[in-house]
Amino acid sequence: MTSPRWLSSAEDMVELDVDATTSWVAIEPIARATTTMAAQPSPTGNPPSFHDSQFDVILRRQRMRPQGGGGLKDTLISSTQSRFLNLSSDFEFAGWGTFSRISLTEEDHRVGAQRMHNVQSARLLGEFIGAAPSGNAVLGSVFYALPAVVAVSGVYSPISLFVATLIPFLWRPIMQELASALPISGAPYSYLLNVSRKSIALLGAALLLLDFAATSAVSAATASTYLSGEVALPFPSWVGAALVLVIFALASLTGLKESARLAAVLLAFHLGTMVALGIVGCVHWGKTGNAQLSENWRVGQPGSRMGVVRQLFNGFCLGMLGLTGIECTPSYIGRLKNPSKTFPRVLRNLHLPAIVLNTSMITLVLATVPLDVVLGGDNVLSLLAERSAGPWLRKWIVVDAVVVLCGGVLTGILSANELFASLAADRVLPQVFLYAFPDRFGGAPYVSIVMFTAVAGALYASTGGSLAVVSKMFSLVWLTVMALFPFSLLLLRFNRGRMPRTPGVGLSLLLLTFALTPVVFVGNVAIDPSTAGYFFAYLVGVLLVFGATQRQVQLLRCLYWLYDQYPALHRWKWGTQMTRVIKRMKRQPVCVLVKGDEINQIMHLLLYVRESEETSCVKIVHFCGGDVDAGGGPESTDLPSELEANAKILDEAFPEITIDLIIVQGAFTPAAVASLAHRLEIPPSLMFMSCPGEGLAYPVAEFGTRIVSL
């Protein structure tokens, strides 16, 4: 056979001698007779157009594709065979995809507009109310952070705490830049989901769940410990912690808005108490002078320079406990009014008071109370109150500790609700986690609240009710969660560099912040290595649960394979039930929004779907008929010429997935996407698109879709 050559015209095609037995691989001529309807040679010398040559750009073998779609793909020509002994290869293949054009109805638009209204109405927290849920955890941490820091840093505690509380100046611009790009709840899980693979995002979700559970458990246990130190409780301290968890879980059932208001009241009471304690402590210090501070300084010297360095470093590592709670704020950023402006103010309202409160209180304690007394007790602020004003103020401080720490429990619950909602929307958790009370009863997600309370209680119980172990493990979890923010921003800049955002930090500072976390992590492990064991055990446990829920189909396939290997088991007909469940789960569709017809771009989106979602039904959607969007959105005035042909190619290239191509008449807007979600019965969280650019007329968060490619 002669070597192939390019054809310059249809006439050349006629003159080319082709053996009648030639087997065409990918392009097959129409009838030979039609080639005599010769088109004139192209005046430019280029290959003829389809109109001229009567040849498709690429004519794929249809392999008995049904006219209206559906049916099984021909397994005889497939190189993939079934791994199951008693199932045909048809089980591994989906049906052919279809091509359709749709116009959204008035009902679709009405439902879409209502969904957009619900999203806007959910943003009901201002900068002060929005700071309250996290503020109880951040400013209430003084009750468990100060004793931990004093125990390892002694008289150098004020220096260690001051330096530790300055660290968020590194994190705040990072968190603000992320929020400007993706102001959506569930962060940093939602950040990782949009800038990396879903498996990495699930690691972030596991860490967040541990962080929220530890926040609630430590707050409840510390509140119970403070209370049992002042009054004789008729039950053990761990029972009191469990009661606090249950009581505030019930309080959170009133809904987000009411819970945030309750958190604001608790925070206001705590701030008033701390101001009163600070004033009384300063007055007492002024009366007694610096004698006690000098004595503590003399007694507390470690005796060597390395001892001083070690105390400062250990105090700095544990001093991070004084900032726990600030990582919860991005988890409900989608509930803030005007997040781009409100979120930076919320961070400021949390950070600056934490610097003043932690540093001033530990200084007043060392200036008022003997060091041996401080090291011998857990309620250091109660000791300060009693020395400064008497037993009445001590009781007030205990009441305040219980109140604000209970607010910390509320912080963990509210943050976990947003995380569970995101995981359920992404089909990581069952849809039951989205069940909520009607709006007139607060709209609280009661299933999420009950499940999270059980998780926090189990976390506390697994340590034998030890507040010390939970607190130290909490510091490791918190540090790891804080590392997710610079990590997410690095991935965003590398993988989604075109995404509109407000830059806030240089790359060198970003890398420094990311590198600081493992240093502090190792420092905390060195103080008590046993906490690392708890941390990794809990993390592995949560990851196993998330992995199992995310890979249900694969687990069922493994179970069916084992069942298939033992014919004796077939009498119970379990195989039929398992295959029925597998097919039902894989029929859950997802949507891919595309702007152009570049096959490599669409294939990257499909590869993401195949790796991250357990589905055999993908709908490729292109909005056609609106204004051209220069920012990367899936919209144009004309249908891309190769979109249908490339969709057919990909439908054949992925035999395990049915790929439907849908052309939607209309402009690509958030309301249109919400309307399409109603029409296709696919939630926006399961609609995927490529990264938009600066030209996109709407904020990315308003679409509610997932960004899965550059």
Side-chain angles (χ1 to χ4, degrees):
M1 181 181 291
T2 60
S3 301
R5 60 185 179 87
W6 288 106
L7 305 178
S8 61
S9 69
E11 195 172 61
D12 291 330
M13 182 65 189
V14 176
E15 294 175 357
L16 182 63
D17 182 22
V18 182
D19 191 339
T21 61
T22 301
S23 176
W24 294 89
V25 177
I27 302 177
E28 182 178 0
I30 308 179
R32 284 179 181 245
T34 62
T35 61
T36 61
M37 301 169 55
Q40 296 301 319
S42 173
T44 62
N46 293 327
S49 66
F50 168 67
H51 176 73
D52 292 334
S53 66
Q54 305 267 324
F55 280 90
D56 200 342
V57 176
I58 181 164
L59 184 62
R60 300 298 300 172
R61 294 168 297 177
Q62 296 304 296
R63 299 173 185 170
M64 299 180 66
R65 179 194 295 263
Q67 188 69 25
L72 289 175
K73 300 182 179 180
D74 192 350
T75 62
L76 297 178
I77 46 81
S78 173
S79 61
T80 304
Q81 300 297 324
S82 176
R83 70 179 70 250
F84 305 112
L85 299 176
N86 296 292
L87 285 179
S88 68
S89 297
D90 292 346
F91 179 73
E92 304 288 349
F93 294 86
W96 289 110
T98 61
F99 172 82
S100 61
R101 294 177 180 266
I102 65 173
S103 295
L104 299 174
T105 64
E106 292 185 4
E107 174 65 14
D108 296 329
H109 287 298
R110 186 191 65 78
V111 174
Q114 182 61 43
R115 288 186 178 183
M116 295 303 300
H117 173 74
N118 294 339
V119 171
Q120 294 295 332
S121 61
R123 297 172 180 170
L124 42 79
L125 303 180
E127 62 178 283
F128 294 107
I129 299 297
S134 297
N136 282 287
V138 175
L139 302 181
S141 62
V142 62
F143 287 107
Y144 52 81
L146 265 58
V149 174
V150 169
V152 298
S153 192
V155 294
Y156 295 99
S157 298
I159 302 174
S160 297
L161 270 171
F162 178 70
V163 176
T165 52
L166 292 179
I167 292 301
F169 279 117
L170 298 176
W171 262 272
R172 280 172 55 186
I174 294 173
M175 298 168 74
Q176 291 170 19
E177 183 171 342
L178 285 167
S180 69
L182 295 165
I184 50 181
S185 296
Y189 160 73
S190 56
Y191 296 155
L192 292 170
L193 188 64
N194 282 277
V195 302
S196 65
R197 297 185 177 184
K198 195 173 184 179
S199 56
I200 298 177
L202 289 180
L203 173 62
L207 290 168
L208 276 177
L209 179 58
L210 286 180
D211 180 79
F212 299 152
T215 297
S216 294
V218 169
S219 298
T222 307
S224 179
T225 300
Y226 262 79
L227 190 60
S228 63
E230 300 300 321
V231 297
L233 297 177
F235 44 73
S237 178
W238 65 268
V239 176
L243 288 175
V244 170
L245 282 173
V246 172
I247 291 172
F248 276 82
L250 295 175
S252 64
L253 291 174
T254 58
L256 174 69
K257 188 173 183 179
E258 296 304 321
S259 299
R261 288 175 176 173
L262 175 60
V265 172
L266 300 180
L267 181 59
F269 178 77
H270 174 60
L271 290 175
T273 301
M274 291 296 101
V275 170
L277 179 60
I279 293 174
V280 172
C282 288
V283 170
H284 180 74
W285 186 6
K287 289 180 179 179
T288 59
N290 295 324
Q292 186 62 66
L293 183 61
S294 300
E295 177 64 16
N296 286 341
W297 182 264
R298 184 187 63 82
V299 174
Q301 292 302 314
S304 67
R305 291 183 178 179
M306 285 305 300
V308 173
V309 173
R310 186 178 299 108
Q311 285 191 356
L312 286 170
F313 179 72
N314 290 343
F316 166 75
C317 293
L318 287 181
M320 295 295 187
L321 281 171
L323 300 165
T324 51
I326 197 171
E327 80 286 359
C328 297
T329 310
S331 66
Y332 57 87
I333 189 175
R335 304 302 186 99
L336 298 178
K337 299 176 182 177
N338 194 0
S340 61
K341 294 182 178 180
T342 304
F343 183 68
R345 296 171 184 171
V346 169
L347 292 180
R348 177 202 61 197
N349 295 342
L350 293 173
H351 182 206
L352 298 183
I355 297 174
V356 176
L357 183 61
N358 283 275
T359 307
S360 61
M361 286 302 162
I362 193 63
T363 303
L364 287 174
V365 168
L366 293 175
T368 306
V369 185
L371 185 60
D372 58 337
V373 177
V374 174
L375 296 175
D378 293 329
N379 303 356
V380 294
L381 293 185
S382 298
L383 297 174
L384 171 62
E386 187 171 26
R387 292 269 179 165
S388 301
W392 68 272
L393 186 56
R394 178 188 179 104
K395 294 178 182 178
W396 184 4
I397 294 299
V398 171
V399 172
D400 174 62
V402 174
V403 167
V404 74
L405 290 169
C406 289
V409 175
L410 203 59
T411 301
I413 294 175
L414 296 179
S415 301
N417 288 345
E418 299 296 327
L419 176 64
F420 283 156
S422 299
L423 291 171
D426 297 326
R427 292 180 184 164
V428 177
L429 293 180
Q431 298 300 294
V432 69
F433 281 86
L434 295 175
Y435 292 177
F437 290 131
D439 290 339
R440 63 179 181 274
F441 297 122
Y446 55 90
V447 175
S448 295
I449 293 172
V450 171
M451 291 301 298
F452 174 75
T453 304
V455 170
L459 176 67
Y460 180 56
S462 65
T463 63
S466 172
L467 175 59
V469 172
V470 177
S471 297
K472 291 177 181 178
M473 191 275 294
F474 182 24
S475 65
L476 299 183
V477 175
W478 182 83
L479 284 167
T480 312
V481 169
M482 292 302 290
L484 295 179
F485 291 102
F487 181 59
S488 299
L489 186 53
L490 284 171
L491 290 177
L492 186 148
R493 292 186 176 183
F494 187 79
N495 292 334
R496 311 285 187 264
R498 298 192 309 125
M499 187 174 294
R501 63 186 186 279
T502 304
V505 60
L507 180 60
S508 298
L509 191 59
L510 179 60
L511 295 174
L512 173 64
T513 305
F514 185 62
L516 180 64
T517 307
V519 175
V520 182
F521 186 96
V522 171
N524 277 274
V525 172
I527 295 172
D528 187 355
S530 65
T531 57
Y534 285 99
F535 168 74
F536 287 110
Y538 295 139
L539 179 60
V540 170
V542 176
L543 282 176
L544 287 176
V545 173
F546 284 171
T549 56
Q550 174 64 16
R551 299 296 181 186
Q552 297 178 61
V553 171
Q554 292 187 15
L555 290 176
L556 283 174
R557 287 172 62 89
C558 292
L559 288 176
Y560 185 87
W561 183 84
L562 291 174
Y563 164 84
D564 205 29
Q565 303 302 306
Y566 297 96
L569 298 177
H570 295 178
R571 71 181 70 175
W572 285 289
K573 306 298 182 181
W574 293 341
T576 303
Q577 298 177 7
M578 282 191 283
T579 54
R580 186 183 298 117
V581 172
I582 290 173
K583 290 180 179 179
R584 185 183 71 248
M585 296 178 67
K586 289 181 70 66
R587 279 198 298 266
Q588 300 179 101
V590 299
C591 180
V592 173
L593 304 173
V594 299
K595 178 184 179 181
D597 57 3
E598 295 85 358
I599 193 169
N600 62 314
Q601 295 278 355
I602 304 174
M603 189 178 70
H604 280 302
L605 295 171
L606 292 175
L607 288 174
Y608 175 89
V609 171
R610 189 175 67 171
E611 177 186 354
S612 303
E613 304 296 329
E614 294 191 310
T615 182
S616 62
C617 182
V618 176
K619 300 183 182 298
I620 298 177
V621 175
H622 173 78
F623 282 83
C624 184
D627 296 331
V628 176
D629 172 23
E635 171 187 299
S636 70
T637 55
D638 299 314
L639 179 65
S641 61
E642 303 305 313
L643 183 57
E644 182 179 1
N646 289 342
K648 291 179 179 179
I649 294 173
L650 293 171
D651 191 28
E652 184 175 332
F654 293 90
E656 73 278 14
I657 301 175
T658 297
I659 299 176
D660 297 325
L661 176 61
I662 301 175
I663 306 302
V664 181
Q665 299 298 321
F668 178 68
T669 65
V673 171
S675 302
L676 179 66
H678 171 258
R679 177 68 172 269
L680 301 181
E681 298 182 349
I682 301 175
S685 59
L686 293 174
M687 293 182 170
F688 311 138
M689 60 183 286
S690 58
C691 181
E694 293 289 345
L696 188 63
Y698 305 92
V700 176
E702 291 190 9
F703 290 95
T705 56
R706 191 187 308 174
I707 311 300
V708 300
S709 69
L710 184 63

